[in-house]
Amino acid sequence: MSAALPQNPSRRSVLKGLGMAVLAAGPLSACAFGSDDKPANNGPTGTVSANNPLGVAANAPLEVVIFKGGLGDAYATEVHEPMYKKAYPEATIKHMPTQQISQTMQPRFASGDVPDVIANSGSDVMDNGALASEGQLLDLTPLFDAPAIGGSGKVRDGLLPGTVEAGILSGKPYLMKYIYTVYGLWYDQALFEKNSWTPATTFEEFDALLGKIKAAGLKPYAYAGKNASYYQYWMIAITAAKIAGNQVLIDMDNLKEGVWTSEPVLKAATAWAEIGKKYLDPSFEGLTHTEVQTAQNQGQIGFYPSGSWLENEQKEQTPATFKYGLTPTPSVTSSDKLPFGAVRAAAGEAYIIPAKAKNPQGGLEYMRMMLSKEGARGFSEKTGNITVVKGAADGLPLSPGTKASNDALNKAGDNIITYNLFEDWYKEFETELRAKTNALMFGRITPDQFCKDVQAKADAVRNDSAVTKQNRTS
Amino acid sequence: MRMPRGGARFVISFLALPIIIYVIFVIAPYLQAFYLALTDWKGITASPKFVGFKNFEVLFSDSVFWKAVLHHGILLLVLPLVTLIIALFFAFLLNMGAGTKGVRGSRFYQAVFFFPQVLAVAVIGVLFQAMYRPDKGGVLNGLLDLVGVEPIGWLTKPNLALWMLIAVLVWQAVGFYVVLFAAGMASIPKEIVEAAQLDGCSKGRMFFQVTLPLLWDTMQVAWVYLGIAAFDGFAIVQVLSVDRGGPDGSTTVLPLEIWRNAFTFSKYGYASAMGVALFVLSLTFAVLTLRVTRRERIEY
């Protein structure tokens, strides 16, 4: 910790005067990464063949570290590790589950004794950006360029759009993002069937449908203003992208001049503000996401904007009769650039291979098996989540919500709306956007004002030399 | 009086440890914050760039900062005043409202009034979340619903939210000052009270002309404590307010902005500058209060 403190003459001299400097700095200075400059070893290699394109040494041991959280670790011990064992019977696999990735892995990174594959997840996740900039991660390009198992073409060809890109740090694919999250409007299929409501494809239909739901005594639309107003600005961004394509979102991330005041964003904000004005109960501004989501489970709410983790998050509160369904956001105009079926989807949950792994080829091969249809299908069976592998979950007995996500993805095809990176890049901007989203949706400012205010903040951040700027091209 | 030989050394040896601890954990961080306020530190690099007073220039033209300062101004006026009036009223009732003994069961009431003080701030936050819940599930709105009033967004109306938060702060603080004043009143000599009563002094007059002047020292301390509390408010605002300091920044306070700038925006240098501003504000307040309210002490 103390290595992170700045040089501070006044503090130094004060402490020195007291003879306490050593006491204060000594035991705390054990920092995250040691100065182990051992060059990345290439590990043992075997003969490259059609079945072994990465040249794995058949007898080299493999160590796999899995974050054992909501997904469990059965997908590794019962699916991926047996696959590896079957292909390389001579190899011994060491499986290590942990709930504290950072606490168990950082000391090992410091000493250079690292495993071959890590599921870097959970609340104690290691900072991938820091690992990459310290040269601790293996470039996964060979994995994505290797031939896919049991399919034709390369591994990267069998993945859903945006998967490889989601794992790029400073220009190189260091992360293998495995789970695919789909965003949209969630509702109770059973409730909708009972009332013969069908999700709308245009904002006009949406308006009419929400009117019907309201007439039935429900709150037709809700999001949690107290702590999750970003769920709502996602919808505004998604709608803007539907109108004018992904470039709008890329421009937002690049803090481009005038993007928030541009016509697609203004149209999207206007469409959603209208929904807010007519159908959003003012009490939702003061409720948390848990409270609103539970109210939906109790049959009080029509649509709720969120991502595909929702069903799993609400498992405890959801009655058996409740069946999560997902619909894409409605279209604004008939000349929208993206079709109604377009959904925002993004790859998440990073798996990494340390640059100094003892068996990096084995690690890459293990990931290649994870990304095979068989491996991905097994993962979906064990965890109920869909992976980045195209069509791997088709035909599986999935939960209603997961099936809805999978169907939405299949319908969307290549019309995938990109994720906004400003959420991680420019927190100050993001905080302002949250506040303005509430103000817009609960009718305190006009769409015009919303666009102007948000653009003003974007301009301020762009002109703030103290903020490190990022850039994306796709 | 001369100290016995070796006495000074003896006293110093006892004082050294607390002073060293104080210097390390209070003075040194303060000095460090003053230094950081002049840098652009982002919390990562080992050697931040020195930027002079740039953080303060930005700060003084930052509308969020001024909004927070305004809220502290309101808190500073309302919180001590309302708390002191309520606490004095209760304490007077408990002690001499009915004769010199106070109302029946006054000790019980004192304990009850003190309860909020024992609760952790997080507990109070959760408690008032239930009180202020903006739909019919809330305690207040549930009661209103019984008489047919539509739910009120206690914390979602920008004009109302800050006042509702001040109410929580007052509720939390009153008990402590009731006990403090009750103790102060109990230590007022019986002779003075009895003499006043014999002279036919009414209860109201007794309060203003006997109790209050004799409680002046306690009041002064209470005012400074509450004033300093008015420069905080972080936990309650953070837990209860919409979007942390909202809606539209209508409840934000400086400690919250410091926290946000440091831990969310990674602008540690700027956050430190805010911290310095807060330090100056609270110090000025404390010094001014002690100066302005200085009076001749009544010895008894």
Side-chain angles (χ1 to χ4, degrees), chain B residues 19 49 112 119 140 188 193 232 239 252 264:
Chain B
I19 288 180
K49 208 170 85 212
V112 171
L119 297 177
L140 291 181
I188 293 174
V193 178
D232 183 14
V239 175
T252 196
T264 309

Side-chain angles (χ1 to χ4, degrees), chain A residues 36 42 108 137-138 217 263 265 268 276 282 284 297 368 397 400 432 454:
Chain A
D36 182 3
N42 294 312
R108 293 187 58 182
L137 298 184
L138 190 73
E263 204 190 298
V265 180
F284 291 129
N297 292 148
R368 196 167 73 103
E432 175 82 353
V454 174

Side-chain angles (χ1 to χ4, degrees), chain A residues 39-184:
Chain A
N41 80 50
N42 294 312
T45 46
T47 329
V48 175
S49 67
N51 282 331
N52 185 4
L54 293 160
V56 179
N59 59 353
L62 182 80
E63 185 180 357
V64 180
V65 175
I66 299 292
F67 168 72
K68 195 177 176 181
L71 301 169
D73 67 344
Y75 71 86
T77 55
E78 293 171 26
V79 181
H80 302 145
E81 289 168 12
M83 279 176 80
Y84 192 90
K85 192 76 188 166
K86 200 175 150 202
Y88 306 97
E90 291 164 57
T92 46
I93 298 178
K94 190 178 167 199
H95 172 80
M96 185 186 151
T98 175
Q99 299 199 333
Q100 295 176 311
I101 287 287
S102 178
Q103 288 87 330
T104 46
M105 285 300 115
Q106 291 228 346
R108 293 187 58 182
F109 271 99
S111 68
D113 169 33
V114 284
D116 304 306
V117 177
I118 305 173
N120 190 19
S121 312
S123 52
D124 292 312
V125 55
M126 288 180 287
D127 182 344
N128 286 318
L131 284 175
S133 63
E134 297 273 332
Q136 293 281 2
L137 298 184
L138 190 73
D139 180 353
L140 302 180
T141 310
L143 164 71
F144 295 120
D145 285 340
I149 297 175
S152 53
K154 296 175 178 176
V155 167
R156 70 168 75 233
D157 300 330
L159 304 180
L160 288 163
T163 304
V164 178
E165 290 73 17
I168 290 180
L169 291 168
S170 22
K172 282 185 182 167
Y174 284 118
L175 317 174
M176 193 273 276
K177 299 243 177 139
Y178 197 44
I179 294 186
Y180 219 55
T181 303
V182 190
Y183 300 79

